[in-house]
Amino acid sequence: MSDDHTHVREFFTARAADWDSRFPNDGPAYAAAVAAAGLHQGDRVLDAGCGTGRALPPLRAAVGPSGVVTGVDLTPAMLQAALRAGRDRHGQLMLADVAALPLRSGSLDAVFAAGLIAHLPQPGENLRELARVVRPGGTLALFHPIGRAALAARQGRQITPDDLRAEANLGPLLARSAWRMTSYVDEHARFLALAVRED
């Protein structure tokens, strides 16, 4: 496992047990982001870096009983927290690395990724891997329950010009990774960038 993976796993392992209690009011923001992602009944959707599975209930509601919901995460402790919360009722949970997904090419209609992009060790390659598993015309939702400025303030840091989530950086990064950004919102209460898988 690379040092990047080790760091990410250690970071989230230390926080898994109380993750949901630290952010108890995020549910409506997740539901609104899933609604904005434009999923349909019967869709096959991946929650990439699913953590404790907070997106799984609204994803299941969006795709219905005929849809497929899969959550993957690199950190066993986060998946265990998702199991304790009963979120496996809404989708399958898998221990997997988004850099090398155990999924067939073009097998999904959409990817939902909450708080993921800042933790990707090789963002371009990792976004291409997400594109690999999505059919042409499928969608990607990059979400965070608070915007960039609010997150930076929470973490006691300043936003820098090289921030991957800045619109000027994210659009070209997605374009180089087989995605076309279609919508970008960065406000205090949420960050949501939507993209379509190019042919």
Side-chain angles (χ1 to χ4, degrees):
M1 186 172 9
S2 73
D3 288 343
D4 287 320
H5 286 98
T6 301
H7 171 73
V8 168
R9 188 172 277 177
E10 288 175 351
F11 178 90
F12 284 106
T13 296
R15 293 160 175 80
D18 66 346
W19 188 262
D20 286 356
S21 63
R22 290 176 63 200
F23 309 107
N25 302 316
D26 285 350
Y30 273 80
V34 169
L39 298 170
H40 302 95
Q41 295 284 305
D43 276 356
R44 300 154 298 167
V45 60
L46 172 69
D47 185 359
C50 67
T52 63
R54 292 183 294 171
L56 295 183
L59 289 171
R60 171 55 66 197
V63 304
S66 63
V68 175
V69 178
T70 303
V72 301
D73 202 273
L74 185 67
T75 306
M78 293 298 264
L79 294 175
Q80 290 160 8
L83 286 168
R84 284 193 301 274
R87 296 191 178 119
D88 56 318
R89 295 191 306 266
H90 305 283
Q92 178 186 9
L93 294 169
M94 295 173 53
L95 181 65
D97 183 354
V98 298
L101 291 164
L103 300 169
R104 292 189 327 274
S105 296
S107 62
L108 301 174
D109 298 294
V111 172
F112 185 88
L116 178 70
I117 193 164
H119 299 286
L120 295 177
Q122 298 176 305
E125 289 183 25
N126 303 150
L127 288 167
R128 276 191 290 279
E129 174 65 357
L130 294 178
R132 180 188 67 79
V133 299
V134 174
R135 62 169 176 79
T139 58
L140 170 68
L142 298 174
F143 166 70
H144 199 283
I146 59 176
R148 292 189 309 129
L151 182 62
R154 176 192 286 174
Q155 296 172 343
R157 61 177 178 82
Q158 298 291 320
I159 296 177
T160 59
D162 63 348
D163 183 347
L164 283 180
R165 296 191 311 157
E167 187 172 10
N169 298 330
L170 186 59
L173 174 63
L174 287 166
R176 292 191 300 270
S177 307
W179 298 100
R180 176 174 51 84
M181 191 160 70
T182 58
S183 175
Y184 182 92
V185 175
D186 180 20
E187 53 197 22
H188 180 81
R190 72 169 173 163
F191 173 90
L192 181 63
L194 302 177
V196 171
R197 169 72 162 90
E198 298 279 47
D199 291 342

